[in-house]
Amino acid sequence: MSEFRIHHDVNELLSLLHVRGGDGAEGYIDLLQKHRTPYVTTTVSAHSAKVKLAEFSKTPEDFLRKYEELKSKNVRNLDPLVYLLSKLCEDKETLQFLQQNAKERSESSANTATTTTSYSLPQTSSKMSMQELDELRKKLGNVTASSNAPLPAEVTRKMLRDKHNKKNPTQPNPVFPNWVYDRPALLGDFITSPTPPADPAVAIGTMALPAQEQALVEDLLFVLVGVDGRDITAQPVLGRQNRSFIVDSTLDMSIKELVNRILPVASYYSTITRFIEEKSSFEYGQVNHALTAAMRTLMKEYLILVTQLEHLQRQGLLSLQKLWFYIQPTMRTMEILASIASSVDKGECMGGSTLSLLHDRTFNYTGDSQAQELCLYLTKAASVPEFMVEEHELQKEKIQEDYNDKYWDQRYTIVQHRIPSFLQKMADKILSTGKYLNVVRECGRDVTCPDAKEVLYTLKERAYVEQIEKAYNYASKVLLAFLMEEKELVSRLRSIKHYFLMDKGDFFVHFMDLTEEELKKPVDDIVPPRLEALLELALRMSTANTDPFKDDLKIDLMPHDVITQLLRVLAIETKQEKAIINADPTDAALSGLEAFSFDYIVKWPLSLIINRKALTRYQMLFRHMFYCKHVERLLCNVWISNKDFKQYSLRSPKWFAAAFALRQRMLNFVQNIQYYMMFEVMEPTWHVMENNLKTASNIDDVLCHHTSFLDNCLKDCMLTNPELLRIFSKLMAVCVMFTNCMQRFTQSMRLERLSLEQGTMDGPPSQSEHADEAERKRLTTKFLAEYVDALQSDAGFEATISKFDNNFSMQLLDLLDKLSIYSTNDCEHSMISIIYRLDFNGFYTERLERMAIERSQKAAV
């Protein structure tokens, strides 16, 4: 079952049960995907489950009748459903919940119906007479019969034709001319008229027994090929009823008994003929066409037999007993064919459903070699045209624009109702084999599997399973070798890692130095070609110059900052999705640093692995780390500028010490977060993926390992948890505001110093000028110290620094507290190392313990 189908079914079930709260659909989906196991239907398990449910049911006869009805219609997954229901019957707690839920829903629907609908009954003072009651019963019976009656054949054909034409407008189904259906004589079945046939001139009962026998033999030969006889006439049929016959009542009882034994063959012939004519229409699909063609071949053999019997009859060598003797071997064959025709018709089977029904019949006839051989022949013939894979018109050139795996997942898909039950286990491998080979063919390579053989239906499952396995292994090997060796997939991934996961340190130092001024501008003022030129320069000046794929790296300016982008992604399919999407954009203009990201050009067929969805994940990781690196550079610049303060003898250095300590705490936080992400998350996860790629056996494994690598990186870097993400963004914002405040203060000091140090010396200084210069520097330092003291006292710098300190400490404690909760409750053990790094000396431990105690007390209350 696909992930989309699981999502749909879980949401549908929660909606039907009116379940609210809890972990929502996602929690149940995760549990299902972790613990689901393939269910293998066996005759024993299905039968025991059916018996158990019948015993549990208050009306076992009705349950068994309904089960047999659905079984006759070849309803898919009926036995797994019955098995599930039998397991639910054993779980008393779940059963009690379902009963309570059903009661609440019925009460709720009853209340709704009461408030929204009012019914009025006609006032009557007299009782209904028996005649009126009989008329009402007849009307109700007619309505019930009409609702259960099958649709006319022409209506069914039109519905199927419209459905096919809507799905394939460019390839409409051809249509037979009307005269094919308007001329009943062309069908080969009985032509029944609404008026009963006229009575014969001489009643057959008045004839001698030999004459009666000869007349009945002649009549039976006509009836066996779908033509009414003199004393045996066919009754009209409605829908899928079996054909019945009327035999002259004056016929001798011994002859009549023998005739009634032979007449079922004529009924079978009528059923088969009608089935062949109906299912031969274009609307019923190629599998039914192949089945009817096989049946038509067998019917020719049957008609040859009737012709031979007629030849004997004309020679006077065919008695009723001989006819009964000769027809008996054919009777079993005709019965099986008629039974299959009725089941296919009743279940409205097409494609895979027809093959599943034939397979079940073949399997169930174990022990009856003749019947099994017949069903095996029909199944082989019907399975020749079956093709369960459907192709969709998708362009591989647009794979770089798709934010999902649409091309790989939807270019070729399995049509569930076309899968025969005997290929259910191998359906995914059949699909994958074709996908793998088509990818290589679309690259201009001609591939032919050396072990390719026609897969023929057989009861020995191993025979065709081994053929499919060989083809699958060959296709996997060819595509994997093509991507890994010729297209250098691993080298491409390493190239992406250099830039998006920032493992080329010297390149990023060069690049950030070159683009610092440009990226400070608002995003609308940035000239992308200038950034591209600076990127090219940084690539050539660093060790990235040795990367053969460096020219595929491009600049991308995003419309949102990384936090907004992540929150929008995380809000998909949640209650907050509309609120976040419809939220007004912030008034503050986006800077180049906030909008900046890398992009990467990936061509077919590598775009199957490195698709737009994967590149978007790489971009989110890169933007997150790039912004952390930017904040680190800001804090380092503050550290450099703070060196100037050491030469001043300030009278109130208390706030300077607090500012320096806060800066160091912020720098420690940012550097430890970066170290954790790069060396404790990305590098180990990358090595795991690289080792897994070496042992991958097919391209789906490669896709799985690559996606798992990106998902784990996003999760362990705290980018998939909205709560942690918001706290982290606030911490970054506090750091940036603090650096801006300190840089403004430093800039003010520099301007004042420049105004004090303006000199007027010309030429080399003399000894006296040296002394004057030293005195000037001393006075400048003194005046600057006084200026700084006055500035900090006037502007309340000490209070500002204290406020920054409180905000940073509060947010950091909140982050550590949330990390301890998630690492404990959700078993996210990798996040514990962040706590150890940020609280390496136990500075926050006491406060965290206090917060945990308060939280537990609130929970207890």
Side-chain angles (χ1 to χ4, degrees):
M1 184 182 288
S2 66
E3 188 174 350
F4 171 78
R5 186 69 189 174
I6 293 174
H7 275 262
H8 176 270
D9 290 348
V10 169
N11 283 311
E12 189 76 13
L13 185 60
L14 293 178
S15 174
L16 288 172
L17 294 176
H18 299 294
V19 175
R20 299 288 184 270
D23 296 332
E26 291 298 327
Y28 298 109
I29 291 165
D30 290 340
L31 283 173
L32 278 174
Q33 290 180 330
K34 288 177 182 176
H35 298 98
R36 63 175 176 167
T37 54
Y39 171 73
V40 180
T41 307
T42 63
T43 307
V44 176
S45 62
H47 178 72
S48 60
K50 180 181 69 173
V51 171
K52 190 179 296 182
L53 277 179
E55 292 173 353
F56 183 81
S57 174
K58 294 180 180 178
T59 54
E61 295 84 1
D62 293 341
F63 167 75
L64 292 173
R65 192 182 304 112
K66 189 65 178 177
Y67 176 84
E68 294 301 329
E69 178 188 342
L70 295 174
K71 194 71 175 174
S72 66
K73 290 184 177 181
N74 196 37
V75 174
R76 188 177 285 269
N77 294 327
L78 176 62
D79 287 336
L81 174 63
V82 171
Y83 180 79
L84 172 64
L85 293 176
S86 70
K87 288 296 181 183
L88 288 176
C89 292
E90 297 174 358
D91 191 341
K92 294 183 179 180
E93 187 178 349
T94 305
L95 199 61
Q96 186 178 0
F97 166 76
L98 291 173
Q99 289 172 344
Q100 181 64 27
N101 186 275
K103 182 180 178 181
E104 292 174 358
R105 285 190 291 123
S106 62
E107 291 174 355
S108 174
S109 60
N111 293 336
T112 306
T114 305
T115 57
T116 58
T117 311
S118 60
Y119 299 96
S120 60
L121 294 174
Q123 297 293 328
T124 178
S125 56
S126 60
K127 292 184 178 180
M128 187 178 289
S129 65
M130 290 301 297
Q131 184 179 358
E132 291 174 336
L133 188 63
D134 290 338
E135 288 178 1
L136 179 61
R137 189 181 289 112
K138 287 179 181 178
K139 289 180 181 179
L140 290 173
N142 291 335
V143 170
T144 306
S146 62
S147 63
N148 292 331
L151 294 172
E154 58 271 16
V155 176
T156 305
R157 284 196 299 271
K158 186 177 185 307
M159 288 172 58
L160 292 171
R161 188 164 57 248
D162 292 343
K163 182 179 178 181
H164 172 85
N165 294 344
K166 185 177 180 181
K167 195 171 185 180
N168 304 286
T170 58
Q171 298 177 343
N173 256 338
V175 183
F176 281 130
N178 289 332
W179 58 264
V180 174
Y181 307 108
D182 294 341
R183 299 183 181 182
L186 295 175
L187 302 182
D189 193 20
F190 293 93
I191 301 173
T192 55
S193 60
T195 59
D199 294 332
V202 180
I204 193 169
T206 61
M207 300 180 183
L209 284 179
Q212 289 186 31
E213 183 177 354
Q214 288 302 317
L216 262 299
V217 167
E218 185 177 356
D219 268 14
L220 282 171
L221 290 174
F222 277 110
V223 171
L224 288 175
V225 293
V227 180
D228 282 338
R230 175 177 173 271
D231 300 300
I232 304 174
T233 55
Q235 290 284 84
V237 290
L238 294 174
R240 303 186 181 97
Q241 292 179 355
N242 293 325
R243 180 80 67 179
S244 59
F245 299 90
I246 298 176
V247 183
D248 195 313
S249 58
T250 63
L251 189 66
D252 183 77
M253 288 303 295
S254 60
I255 296 176
K256 190 173 184 179
E257 178 65 26
L258 202 52
V259 168
N260 286 333
R261 291 184 184 181
I262 299 173
L263 281 178
V265 180
S267 177
Y268 300 149
Y269 171 82
S270 175
T271 300
I272 297 166
T273 303
R274 280 181 285 131
F275 175 80
I276 289 173
E277 293 300 326
E278 180 185 351
K279 301 303 179 186
S280 295
S281 297
F282 292 106
E283 293 81 6
Y284 289 97
Q286 295 183 2
V287 172
N288 282 339
H289 293 174
L291 175 61
T292 55
M295 284 186 170
R296 192 177 278 114
T297 302
L298 295 173
M299 293 304 290
K300 285 181 181 178
E301 298 291 331
Y302 167 77
L303 292 174
I304 290 172
L305 170 66
V306 176
T307 304
Q308 292 171 342
L309 293 173
E310 184 182 1
H311 180 66
L312 290 176
Q313 187 261 341
R314 289 184 178 182
Q315 292 179 335
L317 301 175
L318 186 66
S319 64
L320 202 56
Q321 287 289 347
K322 281 187 177 181
L323 176 60
W324 169 239
F325 174 77
Y326 287 130
I327 207 73
Q328 279 189 66
T330 306
M331 181 178 285
R332 178 63 174 155
T333 301
M334 297 294 285
E335 181 186 4
I336 293 170
L337 292 178
S339 173
I340 290 172
S342 299
S343 298
V344 171
D345 206 16
K346 190 175 182 181
E348 298 177 353
C349 300
M350 291 175 63
S353 301
T354 301
L355 292 178
S356 298
L357 186 145
L358 290 171
H359 171 71
D360 291 342
R361 289 296 178 92
T362 307
F363 187 78
N364 291 336
Y365 280 130
T366 302
D368 187 345
S369 58
Q370 182 184 357
Q372 192 174 60
E373 192 66 30
L374 174 63
C375 290
L376 190 61
Y377 165 75
L378 293 175
T379 312
K380 279 184 179 179
S383 61
V384 171
E386 172 59 359
F387 197 64
M388 64 188 110
V389 179
E390 193 172 56
E391 182 180 6
H392 304 275
E393 292 296 328
L394 295 173
Q395 297 178 2
K396 64 176 180 289
E397 289 77 14
K398 291 188 176 181
I399 198 168
Q400 276 288 301
E401 303 169 14
D402 264 333
Y403 283 88
N404 50 36
D405 302 326
K406 189 176 180 182
Y407 185 87
W408 184 250
D409 290 341
Q410 298 181 20
R411 172 68 190 277
Y412 301 101
T413 57
I414 286 182
V415 184
Q416 289 296 328
H417 65 268
R418 294 185 191 170
I419 305 176
S421 58
F422 55 88
L423 288 179
Q424 186 76 46
K425 298 177 187 176
M426 305 302 295
D428 290 334
K429 286 197 173 181
I430 293 171
L431 175 66
S432 298
T433 303
K435 284 164 69 174
Y436 297 164
L437 293 176
N438 275 305
V439 168
V440 181
R441 289 189 183 113
E442 287 182 10
C443 297
R445 298 299 182 89
D446 185 21
V447 287
T448 305
C449 179
D451 300 321
K453 295 179 183 177
E454 184 180 2
V455 179
L456 297 176
Y457 173 77
T458 173
L459 284 176
K460 297 177 181 178
E461 183 178 341
R462 179 180 294 181
Y464 55 80
V465 166
E466 285 180 355
Q467 292 184 37
I468 295 170
E469 287 280 3
K470 286 180 181 178
Y472 172 76
N473 293 333
Y474 173 78
S476 304
K477 183 180 177 182
V478 167
L479 179 58
L480 196 62
F482 181 69
L483 290 177
M484 290 290 190
E485 296 171 11
E486 188 167 336
K487 295 299 179 180
E488 301 178 282
L489 174 62
V490 176
S491 299
R492 281 281 181 180
L493 291 173
R494 287 198 188 108
S495 174
I496 290 174
K497 177 174 178 278
H498 292 334
Y499 309 116
F500 287 88
L501 304 186
M502 300 179 70
D503 78 341
K504 288 286 185 183
D506 63 324
F507 161 70
F508 280 98
V509 171
H510 283 301
F511 179 74
M512 296 184 84
D513 287 341
L514 291 170
T515 59
E516 186 172 10
E517 294 302 321
E518 188 72 17
L519 291 177
K520 284 180 181 178
K521 300 176 183 177
V523 68
D524 295 332
D525 298 340
I526 292 177
V527 182
R530 177 171 171 76
L531 274 181
E532 294 281 358
L534 294 173
L535 172 63
E536 181 78 13
L537 183 60
L539 286 170
R540 303 299 179 207
M541 291 170 58
S542 64
T543 54
N545 192 37
T546 58
D547 179 16
F549 309 115
K550 61 182 177 295
D551 294 332
D552 291 330
L553 187 66
K554 300 297 176 187
I555 296 292
D556 193 10
L557 296 175
M558 310 293 282
H560 307 288
D561 62 88
V562 63
I563 302 298
T564 305
Q565 181 189 14
L566 285 163
L567 290 176
R568 288 167 73 95
V569 170
L570 294 173
I572 293 174
E573 295 184 359
T574 64
K575 296 177 181 179
Q576 294 81 21
E577 181 176 9
K578 289 184 178 179
I580 290 179
I581 292 175
N582 298 328
D584 295 330
T586 55
D587 296 332
L590 207 63
S591 69
L593 275 164
E594 293 170 321
F596 177 77
S597 181
F598 282 142
D599 201 0
Y600 201 86
I601 299 173
V602 188
K603 296 181 180 179
W604 176 265
L606 290 176
S607 51
L608 284 173
I609 308 297
I610 313 169
N611 50 35
R612 175 50 55 185
K613 188 175 183 179
L615 281 174
T616 303
R617 291 171 175 171
Y618 276 117
Q619 284 181 330
M620 290 189 288
L621 287 166
F622 167 75
R623 296 182 73 192
H624 184 59
M625 291 195 299
F626 186 76
Y627 195 71
C628 288
K629 182 64 71 175
H630 163 64
V631 174
E632 182 191 10
R633 284 170 64 90
L634 291 178
L635 289 167
C636 288
N637 290 337
V638 171
W639 177 80
I640 293 170
S641 62
N642 286 349
K643 292 294 182 181
D644 294 340
F645 290 107
K646 291 185 177 179
Q647 60 183 306
Y648 309 133
S649 57
L650 306 176
R651 289 195 297 271
S652 54
K654 181 181 178 182
W655 73 272
F656 275 103
F660 295 169
L662 178 58
R663 179 212 65 219
Q664 196 58 34
R665 285 174 60 207
M666 289 180 173
L667 190 59
N668 178 70
F669 165 72
V670 175
Q671 288 177 339
N672 274 291
I673 285 289
Q674 287 185 90
Y675 181 91
Y676 162 76
M677 290 191 295
M678 295 183 71
F679 297 103
E680 295 189 17
V681 174
M682 293 178 187
E683 281 298 328
T685 314
W686 169 267
H687 285 297
V688 169
M689 181 192 73
E690 207 167 31
N691 291 331
N692 287 336
L693 291 182
K694 292 176 183 177
T695 59
S697 59
N698 56 61
I699 202 66
D700 282 301
D701 287 348
V702 173
L703 270 168
C704 181
H705 294 321
H706 186 230
T707 304
S708 177
F709 161 72
L710 290 170
D711 288 344
N712 289 335
C713 286
L714 287 168
K715 177 172 66 69
D716 291 340
C717 290
M718 303 179 290
L719 300 185
T720 58
N721 189 310
E723 196 170 11
L724 293 176
L725 199 58
R726 287 190 177 94
I727 298 171
F728 188 81
S729 66
K730 290 176 183 177
L731 278 166
M732 291 289 104
V734 171
C735 293
V736 171
M737 286 189 289
F738 171 76
T739 57
N740 291 338
C741 175
M742 294 299 293
Q743 291 292 9
R744 283 196 300 271
F745 182 72
T746 304
Q747 188 68 24
S748 174
M749 284 190 61
R750 283 175 180 167
L751 291 174
E752 185 65 22
R753 180 172 183 172
L754 286 173
S755 65
L756 292 172
E757 288 185 346
Q758 288 177 353
T760 57
M761 289 188 302
D762 295 324
S766 62
Q767 187 174 359
S768 60
E769 287 174 338
H770 273 298
D772 292 342
E773 183 67 18
E775 181 64 19
R776 188 184 297 113
K777 285 185 178 180
R778 188 184 66 80
L779 292 173
T780 299
T781 303
K782 179 182 177 183
F783 290 146
L784 278 174
E786 292 174 353
Y787 171 77
V788 170
D789 287 338
L791 188 65
Q792 66 89 16
S793 60
D794 292 341
F797 267 70
E798 187 174 352
T800 304
I801 298 301
S802 176
K803 189 175 180 180
F804 276 125
D805 196 330
N806 290 335
N807 284 340
F808 181 77
S809 299
M810 181 179 67
Q811 296 296 339
L812 184 57
L813 272 172
D814 197 12
L815 177 67
L816 293 173
D817 185 46
K818 293 295 187 296
L819 285 172
S820 65
I821 294 173
Y822 289 121
S823 62
T824 305
N825 297 349
D826 299 343
C827 299
E828 300 294 348
H829 301 305
S830 59
M831 292 184 180
I832 296 178
S833 60
I834 310 179
I835 302 175
Y836 291 150
R837 287 196 156 276
L838 298 179
D839 190 25
F840 61 93
N841 58 357
F843 180 76
Y844 301 103
T845 304
E846 184 181 348
R847 296 172 68 178
L848 287 172
E849 290 174 353
R850 191 161 58 246
M851 292 172 71
I853 293 170
E854 291 174 359
R855 186 169 54 252
S856 61
Q857 288 175 347
K858 288 181 181 179
V861 172

